């Protein structure tokens, strides 16, 4: 129930195209859903995050779509660029203090944007 | 954004020696720090949660006597890998949660190679 399932495992997109990565969760107590971007040999960097009271959040070229009833959320990268080539992780956590705000990560998606 | 500094970025050691990794929050106070382990092309696995001034909480399967965690101040947590063996070779990443926000900021990671 603590798992977050992420797909696809890898993705190749043409420059200028839309990259879409999907995640699904089971634990309905999760109330914070961040996406992280990680380049090789570096730590993850927070990209964008959403809470379940909204269905969509957009920051620049990055958009999270959230479907509470389906327990799914996705990351859309518009106008994908070669510099977006990285590994993307979705995650989820429960905000209550007794859960320590521990993040549960998806397996990751390796994105390659072809120029 | 908040900055988390992790040091060293890469360490090579002989089997049987101990290695200390530092994680510092540079511009915010972190009541909670997290330590993760990441194998190549895999997701982040939470090892332990560290709260300032108290003992760390380890995830199931993580040996607390092997991975010593100290969180002596609101800006510093250390992970010591004791009597390291080749199977401990991995990428270790820390994160810090700001006192006032439910957001984890990650360090750049430490690549440990045990010969």
């Amino acid at each position: 129930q603590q798992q977050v399932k992420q797909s696809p495992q890898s993705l190749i997109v043409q420059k200028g195209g839309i990259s879409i990565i999907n995640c699904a969760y089971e634990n309905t107590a999760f109330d914070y859903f961040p996406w992280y971007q990680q380049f090789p040999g570096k730590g993850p960097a927070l990209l964008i995050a959403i809470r379940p009271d909204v269905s969509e959040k957009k920051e620049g070229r990055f958009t999270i779509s959230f479907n509470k009833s389906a327990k799914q959320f996705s990351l859309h990268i518009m106008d994908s660029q070669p510099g977006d080539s990285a590994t993307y992780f979705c995650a989820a956590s429960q905000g209550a203090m007794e859960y320590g705000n521990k993040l549960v990560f998806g397996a990751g998606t390796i994105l390659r944007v072809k120029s | 954004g908040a900055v988390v500094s992790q040091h060293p970025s890469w360490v090579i050691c002989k089997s049987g020696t101990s290695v200390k990794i530092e994680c510092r929050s540079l511009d915010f106070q972190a009541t909670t720090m997290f330590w993760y382990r990441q194998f190549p092309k895999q997701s982040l696995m939470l090892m332990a949660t560290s709260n300032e001034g108290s003992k760390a909480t380890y995830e199931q399967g993580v040996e607390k006597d092997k991975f010593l965690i100290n969180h002596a101040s609101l800006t510093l947590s250390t992970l010591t890998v004791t009597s390291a063996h080749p199977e401990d070779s991995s990428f270790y990443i820390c994160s810090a949660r700001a006192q006032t926000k439910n957001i984890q900021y990650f360090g750049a990671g430490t690549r440990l190679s045990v010969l």
Side-chain angles (χ1 to χ4, degrees):
Chain A
Q1 198 178 15
Q2 287 296 315
Q3 284 187 328
V4 176
K5 295 184 179 179
Q6 184 172 346
S7 63
Q9 192 172 18
S10 62
L11 181 61
I12 300 175
V13 173
Q14 290 289 339
K15 179 182 175 182
I18 303 174
S19 304
I20 302 175
I21 305 171
N22 301 298
C23 284
Y25 63 97
E26 290 294 324
N27 188 349
T28 54
F30 285 147
D31 59 2
Y32 175 67
F33 303 89
W35 284 89
Y36 287 88
Q37 179 189 56
Q38 185 180 30
F39 292 104
K42 300 295 182 183
L46 179 64
L47 202 56
I48 187 172
I50 198 168
R51 297 198 181 272
D53 52 348
V54 296
S55 60
E56 186 175 282
K57 183 175 181 180
K58 184 176 181 179
E59 290 184 1
R61 295 185 295 111
F62 302 94
T63 300
I64 298 180
S65 296
F66 185 82
N67 186 329
K68 189 173 181 179
S69 60
K71 291 184 285 186
Q72 294 175 348
F73 58 110
S74 60
L75 175 70
H76 295 234
I77 305 175
M78 312 299 287
D79 187 27
S80 299
Q81 299 296 312
D84 297 330
S85 298
T87 300
Y88 292 81
F89 292 97
C90 63
S93 73
Q94 290 177 246
M97 286 302 293
E98 59 265 33
Y99 297 104
N101 306 121
K102 293 194 293 187
L103 285 169
V104 178
F105 281 88
T109 296
I110 301 172
L111 171 65
R112 185 161 77 95
V113 181
K114 295 171 68 175
S115 56
Chain B
V3 178
V4 175
S5 173
Q6 191 171 338
H7 178 81
S9 58
W10 193 11
V11 58
I12 302 174
C13 70
K14 291 182 179 180
S15 185
T17 60
S18 294
V19 174
K20 181 184 283 189
I21 302 169
E22 290 188 350
C23 181
R24 294 180 184 272
S25 56
L26 295 186
D27 52 359
F28 66 99
Q29 293 189 323
T31 48
T32 305
M33 289 187 173
F34 302 86
W35 288 95
Y36 296 84
R37 184 172 180 174
Q38 186 179 33
F39 290 106
K41 298 187 177 182
Q42 292 191 23
S43 190
L44 286 79
M45 299 299 295
L46 180 65
M47 298 174 65
T49 302
S50 166
N51 291 298
E52 186 263 339
S54 62
K55 289 185 178 180
T57 302
Y58 291 81
E59 295 299 301
Q60 193 172 11
V62 177
E63 298 176 60
K64 61 180 180 181
D65 294 330
K66 178 154 189 72
F67 299 100
L68 300 179
I69 292 172
N70 184 282
H71 192 161
S73 76
L74 285 173
T75 59
L76 173 65
S77 176
T78 60
L79 167 68
T80 301
V81 183
T82 62
S83 187
H85 289 93
E87 57 266 29
D88 298 323
S89 298
S90 189
F91 194 52
Y92 292 88
I93 308 172
C94 72
S95 72
R97 184 175 68 86
Q99 200 168 16
T100 56
K101 294 182 181 180
N102 180 20
I103 298 175
Q104 287 188 35
Y105 298 97
F106 284 81
T110 297
R111 183 159 305 285
L112 171 63
S113 298
V114 185
L115 304 178

